[in-house]
PDB file of all heavy atoms in Angstrom:
ATOM      1  N   LEU Y   1       0.830  -1.197  -0.020  1.00 95.00           N
ATOM      2  CA  LEU Y   1      -0.008  -0.003   0.006  1.00 95.00           C
ATOM      3  C   LEU Y   1       0.855   1.258  -0.015  1.00 95.00           C
ATOM      4  O   LEU Y   1       0.663   2.169  -0.812  1.00 95.00           O
ATOM      5  CB  LEU Y   1      -0.939  -0.004   1.209  1.00 95.00           C
ATOM      6  CG  LEU Y   1      -1.888   1.144   1.342  1.00 95.00           C
ATOM      7  CD1 LEU Y   1      -2.877   1.170   0.149  1.00 95.00           C
ATOM      8  CD2 LEU Y   1      -2.645   1.062   2.628  1.00 95.00           C
ATOM      9  N   LEU Y   2       1.860   1.315   0.879  1.00 95.00           N
ATOM     10  CA  LEU Y   2       2.698   2.497   0.969  1.00 95.00           C
ATOM     11  C   LEU Y   2       3.578   2.641  -0.291  1.00 95.00           C
ATOM     12  O   LEU Y   2       3.796   3.764  -0.731  1.00 95.00           O
ATOM     13  CB  LEU Y   2       3.565   2.454   2.210  1.00 95.00           C
ATOM     14  CG  LEU Y   2       2.783   2.595   3.527  1.00 95.00           C
ATOM     15  CD1 LEU Y   2       3.740   2.599   4.694  1.00 95.00           C
ATOM     16  CD2 LEU Y   2       1.880   3.815   3.540  1.00 95.00           C
ATOM     17  N   SER Y   3       4.086   1.556  -0.797  1.00 94.00           N
ATOM     18  CA  SER Y   3       4.922   1.683  -2.028  1.00 94.00           C
ATOM     19  C   SER Y   3       4.099   2.130  -3.232  1.00 94.00           C
ATOM     20  O   SER Y   3       4.528   2.916  -4.045  1.00 94.00           O
ATOM     21  CB  SER Y   3       5.678   0.398  -2.358  1.00 94.00           C
ATOM     22  OG  SER Y   3       4.782  -0.647  -2.655  1.00 94.00           O
ATOM     23  N   GLY Y   4       2.808   1.693  -3.269  1.00 95.00           N
ATOM     24  CA  GLY Y   4       1.917   2.131  -4.342  1.00 95.00           C
ATOM     25  C   GLY Y   4       1.599   3.625  -4.205  1.00 95.00           C
ATOM     26  O   GLY Y   4       1.578   4.373  -5.202  1.00 95.00           O
ATOM     27  N   LEU Y   5       1.324   4.062  -2.969  1.00 94.00           N
ATOM     28  CA  LEU Y   5       1.092   5.485  -2.774  1.00 94.00           C
ATOM     29  C   LEU Y   5       2.336   6.308  -3.091  1.00 94.00           C
ATOM     30  O   LEU Y   5       2.240   7.372  -3.685  1.00 94.00           O
ATOM     31  CB  LEU Y   5       0.675   5.763  -1.297  1.00 94.00           C
ATOM     32  CG  LEU Y   5      -0.769   5.573  -0.971  1.00 94.00           C
ATOM     33  CD1 LEU Y   5      -0.980   5.685   0.539  1.00 94.00           C
ATOM     34  CD2 LEU Y   5      -1.643   6.602  -1.691  1.00 94.00           C
ATOM     35  N   ARG Y   6       3.483   5.820  -2.629  1.00 93.00           N
ATOM     36  CA  ARG Y   6       4.722   6.543  -2.910  1.00 93.00           C
ATOM     37  C   ARG Y   6       4.957   6.709  -4.402  1.00 93.00           C
ATOM     38  O   ARG Y   6       5.264   7.786  -4.850  1.00 93.00           O
ATOM     39  CB  ARG Y   6       5.903   5.732  -2.298  1.00 93.00           C
ATOM     40  CG  ARG Y   6       7.253   6.355  -2.569  1.00 93.00           C
ATOM     41  CD  ARG Y   6       8.394   5.370  -2.370  1.00 93.00           C
ATOM     42  NE  ARG Y   6       8.260   4.276  -3.334  1.00 93.00           N
ATOM     43  CZ  ARG Y   6       8.560   2.991  -3.091  1.00 93.00           C
ATOM     44  NH1 ARG Y   6       9.014   2.647  -1.938  1.00 93.00           N
ATOM     45  NH2 ARG Y   6       8.419   2.109  -4.027  1.00 93.00           N
ATOM     46  N   ASP Y   7       4.760   5.638  -5.164  1.00 94.00           N
ATOM     47  CA  ASP Y   7       5.001   5.700  -6.584  1.00 94.00           C
ATOM     48  C   ASP Y   7       3.927   6.456  -7.355  1.00 94.00           C
ATOM     49  O   ASP Y   7       4.180   7.078  -8.355  1.00 94.00           O
ATOM     50  CB  ASP Y   7       5.118   4.268  -7.182  1.00 94.00           C
ATOM     51  CG  ASP Y   7       6.310   3.513  -6.631  1.00 94.00           C
ATOM     52  OD1 ASP Y   7       7.208   4.172  -6.034  1.00 94.00           O
ATOM     53  OD2 ASP Y   7       6.354   2.286  -6.760  1.00 94.00           O
ATOM     54  N   GLY Y   8       2.667   6.400  -6.854  1.00 95.00           N
ATOM     55  CA  GLY Y   8       1.580   7.007  -7.565  1.00 95.00           C
ATOM     56  C   GLY Y   8       1.310   8.444  -7.178  1.00 95.00           C
ATOM     57  O   GLY Y   8       1.209   9.322  -8.063  1.00 95.00           O
ATOM     58  N   ALA Y   9       1.287   8.736  -5.867  1.00 94.00           N
ATOM     59  CA  ALA Y   9       0.929  10.095  -5.399  1.00 94.00           C
ATOM     60  C   ALA Y   9       2.137  10.840  -4.851  1.00 94.00           C
ATOM     61  O   ALA Y   9       2.142  12.050  -4.884  1.00 94.00           O
ATOM     62  CB  ALA Y   9      -0.132  10.013  -4.336  1.00 94.00           C
ATOM     63  N   GLY Y  10       3.149  10.122  -4.385  1.00 92.00           N
ATOM     64  CA  GLY Y  10       4.308  10.761  -3.860  1.00 92.00           C
ATOM     65  C   GLY Y  10       4.553  10.315  -2.395  1.00 92.00           C
ATOM     66  O   GLY Y  10       3.613   9.910  -1.723  1.00 92.00           O
ATOM     67  N   PRO Y  11       5.819  10.369  -1.968  1.00 92.00           N
ATOM     68  CA  PRO Y  11       6.166   9.895  -0.638  1.00 92.00           C
ATOM     69  C   PRO Y  11       5.460  10.661   0.505  1.00 92.00           C
ATOM     70  O   PRO Y  11       5.198  10.087   1.529  1.00 92.00           O
ATOM     71  CB  PRO Y  11       7.654  10.046  -0.596  1.00 92.00           C
ATOM     72  CG  PRO Y  11       8.071  10.946  -1.696  1.00 92.00           C
ATOM     73  CD  PRO Y  11       6.992  10.854  -2.722  1.00 92.00           C
ATOM     74  N   GLU Y  12       5.169  11.937   0.272  1.00 93.00           N
ATOM     75  CA  GLU Y  12       4.494  12.699   1.346  1.00 93.00           C
ATOM     76  C   GLU Y  12       3.126  12.170   1.632  1.00 93.00           C
ATOM     77  O   GLU Y  12       2.655  12.147   2.742  1.00 93.00           O
ATOM     78  CB  GLU Y  12       4.430  14.198   1.020  1.00 93.00           C
ATOM     79  CG  GLU Y  12       3.631  14.555  -0.207  1.00 93.00           C
ATOM     80  CD  GLU Y  12       4.377  14.430  -1.533  1.00 93.00           C
ATOM     81  OE1 GLU Y  12       5.541  13.990  -1.571  1.00 93.00           O
ATOM     82  OE2 GLU Y  12       3.729  14.789  -2.570  1.00 93.00           O
ATOM     83  N   TYR Y  13       2.442  11.650   0.586  1.00 94.00           N
ATOM     84  CA  TYR Y  13       1.092  11.079   0.791  1.00 94.00           C
ATOM     85  C   TYR Y  13       1.194   9.729   1.468  1.00 94.00           C
ATOM     86  O   TYR Y  13       0.391   9.371   2.340  1.00 94.00           O
ATOM     87  CB  TYR Y  13       0.344  10.956  -0.540  1.00 94.00           C
ATOM     88  CG  TYR Y  13      -0.070  12.291  -1.078  1.00 94.00           C
ATOM     89  CD1 TYR Y  13       0.715  12.916  -2.013  1.00 94.00           C
ATOM     90  CD2 TYR Y  13      -1.190  12.922  -0.615  1.00 94.00           C
ATOM     91  CE1 TYR Y  13       0.346  14.174  -2.526  1.00 94.00           C
ATOM     92  CE2 TYR Y  13      -1.575  14.172  -1.083  1.00 94.00           C
ATOM     93  CZ  TYR Y  13      -0.791  14.780  -2.035  1.00 94.00           C
ATOM     94  OH  TYR Y  13      -1.147  16.013  -2.503  1.00 94.00           O
ATOM     95  N   ALA Y  14       2.197   8.948   1.110  1.00 95.00           N
ATOM     96  CA  ALA Y  14       2.397   7.638   1.752  1.00 95.00           C
ATOM     97  C   ALA Y  14       2.698   7.849   3.239  1.00 95.00           C
ATOM     98  O   ALA Y  14       2.156   7.144   4.107  1.00 95.00           O
ATOM     99  CB  ALA Y  14       3.500   6.889   1.058  1.00 95.00           C
ATOM    100  N   LEU Y  15       3.538   8.784   3.578  1.00 95.00           N
ATOM    101  CA  LEU Y  15       3.880   9.043   4.982  1.00 95.00           C
ATOM    102  C   LEU Y  15       2.648   9.557   5.761  1.00 95.00           C
ATOM    103  O   LEU Y  15       2.416   9.118   6.862  1.00 95.00           O
ATOM    104  CB  LEU Y  15       5.034  10.043   5.057  1.00 95.00           C
ATOM    105  CG  LEU Y  15       6.401   9.514   4.740  1.00 95.00           C
ATOM    106  CD1 LEU Y  15       7.405  10.669   4.644  1.00 95.00           C
ATOM    107  CD2 LEU Y  15       6.866   8.561   5.867  1.00 95.00           C
ATOM    108  N   ARG Y  16       1.906  10.429   5.124  1.00 95.00           N
ATOM    109  CA  ARG Y  16       0.686  10.958   5.833  1.00 95.00           C
ATOM    110  C   ARG Y  16      -0.316   9.866   6.074  1.00 95.00           C
ATOM    111  O   ARG Y  16      -0.929   9.810   7.116  1.00 95.00           O
ATOM    112  CB  ARG Y  16       0.084  12.088   5.000  1.00 95.00           C
ATOM    113  CG  ARG Y  16      -0.964  12.888   5.770  1.00 95.00           C
ATOM    114  CD  ARG Y  16      -1.310  14.161   5.104  1.00 95.00           C
ATOM    115  NE  ARG Y  16      -2.145  13.838   3.951  1.00 95.00           N
ATOM    116  CZ  ARG Y  16      -2.379  14.729   2.989  1.00 95.00           C
ATOM    117  NH1 ARG Y  16      -1.843  15.905   2.998  1.00 95.00           N
ATOM    118  NH2 ARG Y  16      -3.162  14.369   1.974  1.00 95.00           N
ATOM    119  N   PHE Y  17      -0.453   8.973   5.114  1.00 94.00           N
ATOM    120  CA  PHE Y  17      -1.365   7.812   5.239  1.00 94.00           C
ATOM    121  C   PHE Y  17      -0.946   6.956   6.451  1.00 94.00           C
ATOM    122  O   PHE Y  17      -1.765   6.596   7.261  1.00 94.00           O
ATOM    123  CB  PHE Y  17      -1.363   6.986   3.986  1.00 94.00           C
ATOM    124  CG  PHE Y  17      -2.247   5.801   3.991  1.00 94.00           C
ATOM    125  CD1 PHE Y  17      -3.567   5.854   3.525  1.00 94.00           C
ATOM    126  CD2 PHE Y  17      -1.825   4.611   4.523  1.00 94.00           C
ATOM    127  CE1 PHE Y  17      -4.393   4.763   3.549  1.00 94.00           C
ATOM    128  CE2 PHE Y  17      -2.636   3.492   4.534  1.00 94.00           C
ATOM    129  CZ  PHE Y  17      -3.929   3.586   4.056  1.00 94.00           C
ATOM    130  N   ALA Y  18       0.338   6.669   6.549  1.00 95.00           N
ATOM    131  CA  ALA Y  18       0.857   5.762   7.594  1.00 95.00           C
ATOM    132  C   ALA Y  18       0.903   6.422   8.980  1.00 95.00           C
ATOM    133  O   ALA Y  18       0.663   5.774   9.983  1.00 95.00           O
ATOM    134  CB  ALA Y  18       2.244   5.274   7.224  1.00 95.00           C
ATOM    135  N   GLU Y  19       1.175   7.731   9.012  1.00 95.00           N
ATOM    136  CA  GLU Y  19       1.273   8.411  10.304  1.00 95.00           C
ATOM    137  C   GLU Y  19      -0.082   8.774  10.902  1.00 95.00           C
ATOM    138  O   GLU Y  19      -0.164   8.946  12.122  1.00 95.00           O
ATOM    139  CB  GLU Y  19       2.111   9.688  10.130  1.00 95.00           C
ATOM    140  CG  GLU Y  19       3.557   9.441   9.808  1.00 95.00           C
ATOM    141  CD  GLU Y  19       4.318  10.654   9.435  1.00 95.00           C
ATOM    142  OE1 GLU Y  19       3.737  11.705   9.053  1.00 95.00           O
ATOM    143  OE2 GLU Y  19       5.582  10.643   9.519  1.00 95.00           O
ATOM    144  N   SER Y  20      -1.091   8.863  10.077  1.00 96.00           N
ATOM    145  CA  SER Y  20      -2.437   9.255  10.584  1.00 96.00           C
ATOM    146  C   SER Y  20      -3.539   8.383   9.994  1.00 96.00           C
ATOM    147  O   SER Y  20      -4.361   8.823   9.221  1.00 96.00           O
ATOM    148  CB  SER Y  20      -2.694  10.734  10.176  1.00 96.00           C
ATOM    149  OG  SER Y  20      -1.730  11.562  10.689  1.00 96.00           O
ATOM    150  N   PRO Y  21      -3.543   7.123  10.403  1.00 94.00           N
ATOM    151  CA  PRO Y  21      -4.519   6.189   9.819  1.00 94.00           C
ATOM    152  C   PRO Y  21      -5.982   6.583  10.069  1.00 94.00           C
ATOM    153  O   PRO Y  21      -6.844   6.313   9.291  1.00 94.00           O
ATOM    154  CB  PRO Y  21      -4.194   4.829  10.391  1.00 94.00           C
ATOM    155  CG  PRO Y  21      -3.294   5.088  11.555  1.00 94.00           C
ATOM    156  CD  PRO Y  21      -2.640   6.419  11.339  1.00 94.00           C
ATOM    157  N   MET Y  22      -6.246   7.269  11.164  1.00 93.00           N
ATOM    158  CA  MET Y  22      -7.616   7.662  11.452  1.00 93.00           C
ATOM    159  C   MET Y  22      -8.126   8.712  10.436  1.00 93.00           C
ATOM    160  O   MET Y  22      -9.355   8.793  10.230  1.00 93.00           O
ATOM    161  CB  MET Y  22      -7.775   8.226  12.871  1.00 93.00           C
ATOM    162  CG  MET Y  22      -7.678   7.136  13.927  1.00 93.00           C
ATOM    163  SD  MET Y  22      -8.818   5.727  13.703  1.00 93.00           S
ATOM    164  CE  MET Y  22     -10.380   6.515  13.904  1.00 93.00           C
ATOM    165  N   ASP Y  23      -7.231   9.486   9.839  1.00 94.00           N
ATOM    166  CA  ASP Y  23      -7.652  10.472   8.833  1.00 94.00           C
ATOM    167  C   ASP Y  23      -8.318   9.838   7.646  1.00 94.00           C
ATOM    168  O   ASP Y  23      -9.187  10.450   7.016  1.00 94.00           O
ATOM    169  CB  ASP Y  23      -6.470  11.307   8.376  1.00 94.00           C
ATOM    170  CG  ASP Y  23      -5.968  12.270   9.469  1.00 94.00           C
ATOM    171  OD1 ASP Y  23      -6.679  12.445  10.453  1.00 94.00           O
ATOM    172  OD2 ASP Y  23      -4.907  12.871   9.241  1.00 94.00           O
ATOM    173  N   TRP Y  24      -7.912   8.638   7.261  1.00 92.00           N
ATOM    174  CA  TRP Y  24      -8.553   7.955   6.113  1.00 92.00           C
ATOM    175  C   TRP Y  24      -9.549   6.885   6.574  1.00 92.00           C
ATOM    176  O   TRP Y  24     -10.485   6.548   5.878  1.00 92.00           O
ATOM    177  CB  TRP Y  24      -7.522   7.308   5.180  1.00 92.00           C
ATOM    178  CG  TRP Y  24      -6.600   6.349   5.824  1.00 92.00           C
ATOM    179  CD1 TRP Y  24      -5.384   6.633   6.368  1.00 92.00           C
ATOM    180  CD2 TRP Y  24      -6.850   4.986   6.062  1.00 92.00           C
ATOM    181  NE1 TRP Y  24      -4.845   5.465   6.879  1.00 92.00           N
ATOM    182  CE2 TRP Y  24      -5.699   4.452   6.673  1.00 92.00           C
ATOM    183  CE3 TRP Y  24      -7.893   4.104   5.720  1.00 92.00           C
ATOM    184  CZ2 TRP Y  24      -5.619   3.092   7.073  1.00 92.00           C
ATOM    185  CZ3 TRP Y  24      -7.809   2.777   6.071  1.00 92.00           C
ATOM    186  CH2 TRP Y  24      -6.670   2.296   6.745  1.00 92.00           C
ATOM    187  N   LEU Y  25      -9.366   6.392   7.791  1.00 89.00           N
ATOM    188  CA  LEU Y  25     -10.246   5.325   8.293  1.00 89.00           C
ATOM    189  C   LEU Y  25     -11.625   5.881   8.654  1.00 89.00           C
ATOM    190  O   LEU Y  25     -12.643   5.229   8.312  1.00 89.00           O
ATOM    191  CB  LEU Y  25      -9.614   4.640   9.469  1.00 89.00           C
ATOM    192  CG  LEU Y  25     -10.317   3.396  10.002  1.00 89.00           C
ATOM    193  CD1 LEU Y  25     -10.394   2.316   8.935  1.00 89.00           C
ATOM    194  CD2 LEU Y  25      -9.595   2.866  11.232  1.00 89.00           C
ATOM    195  N   GLU Y  26     -11.674   7.042   9.304  1.00 89.00           N
ATOM    196  CA  GLU Y  26     -13.001   7.597   9.710  1.00 89.00           C
ATOM    197  C   GLU Y  26     -13.943   7.807   8.519  1.00 89.00           C
ATOM    198  O   GLU Y  26     -15.060   7.398   8.548  1.00 89.00           O
ATOM    199  CB  GLU Y  26     -12.790   8.875  10.515  1.00 89.00           C
ATOM    200  CG  GLU Y  26     -12.327   8.598  11.938  1.00 89.00           C
ATOM    201  CD  GLU Y  26     -12.034   9.852  12.709  1.00 89.00           C
ATOM    202  OE1 GLU Y  26     -11.958  10.955  12.145  1.00 89.00           O
ATOM    203  OE2 GLU Y  26     -11.833   9.713  13.941  1.00 89.00           O
ATOM    204  N   PRO Y  27     -13.462   8.487   7.418  1.00 88.00           N
ATOM    205  CA  PRO Y  27     -14.367   8.658   6.265  1.00 88.00           C
ATOM    206  C   PRO Y  27     -14.766   7.320   5.617  1.00 88.00           C
ATOM    207  O   PRO Y  27     -15.889   7.155   5.118  1.00 88.00           O
ATOM    208  CB  PRO Y  27     -13.575   9.501   5.283  1.00 88.00           C
ATOM    209  CG  PRO Y  27     -12.477  10.091   6.049  1.00 88.00           C
ATOM    210  CD  PRO Y  27     -12.208   9.235   7.221  1.00 88.00           C
ATOM    211  N   LEU Y  28     -13.873   6.358   5.648  1.00 83.00           N
ATOM    212  CA  LEU Y  28     -14.170   5.044   5.097  1.00 83.00           C
ATOM    213  C   LEU Y  28     -15.310   4.372   5.817  1.00 83.00           C
ATOM    214  O   LEU Y  28     -16.161   3.714   5.226  1.00 83.00           O
ATOM    215  CB  LEU Y  28     -12.907   4.147   5.125  1.00 83.00           C
ATOM    216  CG  LEU Y  28     -13.049   2.726   4.609  1.00 83.00           C
ATOM    217  CD1 LEU Y  28     -13.218   2.770   3.100  1.00 83.00           C
ATOM    218  CD2 LEU Y  28     -11.806   1.931   4.969  1.00 83.00           C
ATOM    219  N   LEU Y  29     -15.338   4.518   7.119  1.00 81.00           N
ATOM    220  CA  LEU Y  29     -16.370   3.848   7.967  1.00 81.00           C
ATOM    221  C   LEU Y  29     -17.599   4.729   8.175  1.00 81.00           C
ATOM    222  O   LEU Y  29     -18.594   4.281   8.702  1.00 81.00           O
ATOM    223  CB  LEU Y  29     -15.755   3.459   9.298  1.00 81.00           C
ATOM    224  CG  LEU Y  29     -14.610   2.437   9.251  1.00 81.00           C
ATOM    225  CD1 LEU Y  29     -14.038   2.234  10.652  1.00 81.00           C
ATOM    226  CD2 LEU Y  29     -15.117   1.153   8.662  1.00 81.00           C
ATOM    227  N   ALA Y  30     -17.535   5.996   7.783  1.00 82.00           N
ATOM    228  CA  ALA Y  30     -18.668   6.924   7.989  1.00 82.00           C
ATOM    229  C   ALA Y  30     -19.748   6.736   6.917  1.00 82.00           C
ATOM    230  O   ALA Y  30     -19.590   6.025   5.955  1.00 82.00           O
ATOM    231  CB  ALA Y  30     -18.147   8.357   7.954  1.00 82.00           C
ATOM    232  N   GLY Y  31     -20.799   7.459   7.135  1.00 75.00           N
ATOM    233  CA  GLY Y  31     -21.877   7.393   6.146  1.00 75.00           C
ATOM    234  C   GLY Y  31     -22.971   6.409   6.576  1.00 75.00           C
ATOM    235  O   GLY Y  31     -23.841   6.760   7.360  1.00 75.00           O
TER     236      GLY Y  31
END
């Protein structure tokens, strides 16, 4: 997952994803 984000969106997005999992998990589970 992180290598795909790194290669596709950039390393800053991969790091942000890994450092703050609740930032992407909450919207995924919301609704």
Side-chain angles (χ1 to χ4, degrees):
L1 182 63
L2 293 182
S3 64
L5 276 172
R6 178 198 63 215
D7 296 345
E12 64 277 4
Y13 289 97
L15 283 169
R16 192 166 73 196
F17 181 93
E19 291 171 342
S20 303
M22 287 308 294
D23 289 349
W24 58 267
L25 188 60
E26 284 177 349
L28 179 69
L29 297 175

